[in-house]
Amino acid sequence: MIPINKRNIGVSILLSFLTLGIYSIYWKYLLVKNIRAIKKDDSSCVGEMLCLIFVPFYSLYWWFTRGKYIREEFTKRGSSVSSNETAFLLLSLFLLEIVAMAIMQNDFNSLPADATYSVQRSAHKFDVFFLVTGICLAAYAIFLLALIIWGFFTSVKADLGATNLFRNNVAGLPEGWPWQW
C-alpha cells in the first residue's frame, strides 16, 4: 500500500521560505511520490528529482505532463481537480512553482482519507541517500552563488576605495584629472 502524502499547505510554504527553498525540494519529492502512488509505480523517483533540480527546462515539461495525468486520473476516480496542466505550466513558466505545488498539494489533500494505492512496494535503500545528495548539491550551488555575489560587492567596494585615493591625489597625479572633483 502506497499512502498519499497529505501536507498542510501554509506550513509547507512557510518552511519553503524559511529554508530558502530547501524544503520546497523535499515537498516536490513528496509530490512526485504521490503521483507515482496514483500511477501504482513503485520505482525509484531519484532520477526524476535530479532532473527537476538540475535540468533547466525539464520542470516545464514535468508540470505539464503531471498536471495532465493528475486531471485524467482524478476524473477517472470521480474526484474533482482544482486546476489543469495549462495552469501548472503557466505558473512554472512565470517562476511561481510554489503556487503550483500548493495547488497540486490541495488536489492530493482533497482525496479521501483512506486513499492508498495497493501495490507491492520494494524497498529502495538509496532513495533517501540520493535525495539528500541532491539537496546538498543544491545547497552547495547556493553557497557558491553567495560567494560570487559577495566577491563582486567587495571588489566594487575596493574599487570605490581606489577612486577615493585618486580624489585625494595620493597617487601623485597632476591636478585637473576627470576623477578629481
Side-chain angles (χ1 to χ4, degrees):
M1 304 286 271
I2 302 174
I4 296 295
N5 295 305
K6 297 188 177 192
R7 295 268 176 243
N8 184 333
I9 297 170
V11 171
S12 296
I13 291 172
L14 181 67
L15 284 173
S16 296
F17 283 117
L18 289 177
T19 60
L20 302 176
I22 301 296
Y23 184 80
S24 67
I25 296 171
Y26 174 69
W27 188 15
K28 196 177 288 186
Y29 171 74
L30 293 177
L31 291 175
V32 169
K33 287 182 73 83
N34 283 349
I35 293 168
R36 287 183 179 252
I38 288 175
K39 285 178 163 181
K40 297 181 181 176
D41 182 6
D42 67 340
S43 63
S44 174
C45 60
V46 172
E48 190 172 356
M49 279 304 300
L50 291 176
C51 284
L52 276 170
I53 293 171
F54 294 113
V55 179
F57 295 107
Y58 179 73
S59 66
L60 297 174
Y61 167 79
W62 187 86
W63 281 109
F64 184 79
T65 56
R66 298 324 183 263
K68 183 177 180 181
Y69 185 79
I70 288 172
R71 183 177 50 83
E72 290 170 355
E73 286 298 314
F74 276 44
T75 53
K76 276 186 204 174
R77 291 175 170 80
S79 299
S80 63
V81 183
S82 59
S83 112
N84 61 16
E85 63 273 8
T86 308
F88 288 133
L89 178 65
L90 288 175
L91 287 169
S92 177
L93 190 63
F94 292 114
L95 303 177
L96 295 172
E97 282 192 2
I98 194 147
V99 177
M101 289 168 51
I103 293 170
M104 189 178 281
Q105 185 66 55
N106 184 43
D107 290 339
F108 286 121
N109 287 349
S110 69
L111 287 174
D114 61 342
T116 56
Y117 296 92
S118 176
V119 87
Q120 184 63 34
R121 180 154 173 87
S122 59
H124 296 288
K125 298 178 200 175
F126 299 110
D127 268 358
V128 175
F129 172 74
F130 285 121
L131 180 66
V132 169
T133 303
I135 290 173
C136 289
L137 286 173
Y140 181 66
I142 291 170
F143 173 73
L144 287 178
L145 181 66
L147 278 178
I148 291 169
I149 292 171
W150 177 76
F152 172 76
F153 282 117
T154 55
S155 68
V156 168
K157 185 177 177 183
D159 289 343
L160 290 176
T163 58
N164 286 336
L165 289 176
F166 288 123
R167 286 186 185 157
N168 297 333
N169 204 11
V170 175
L173 297 173
E175 295 292 329
W177 281 75
W179 53 78
Q180 293 178 345
W181 301 91

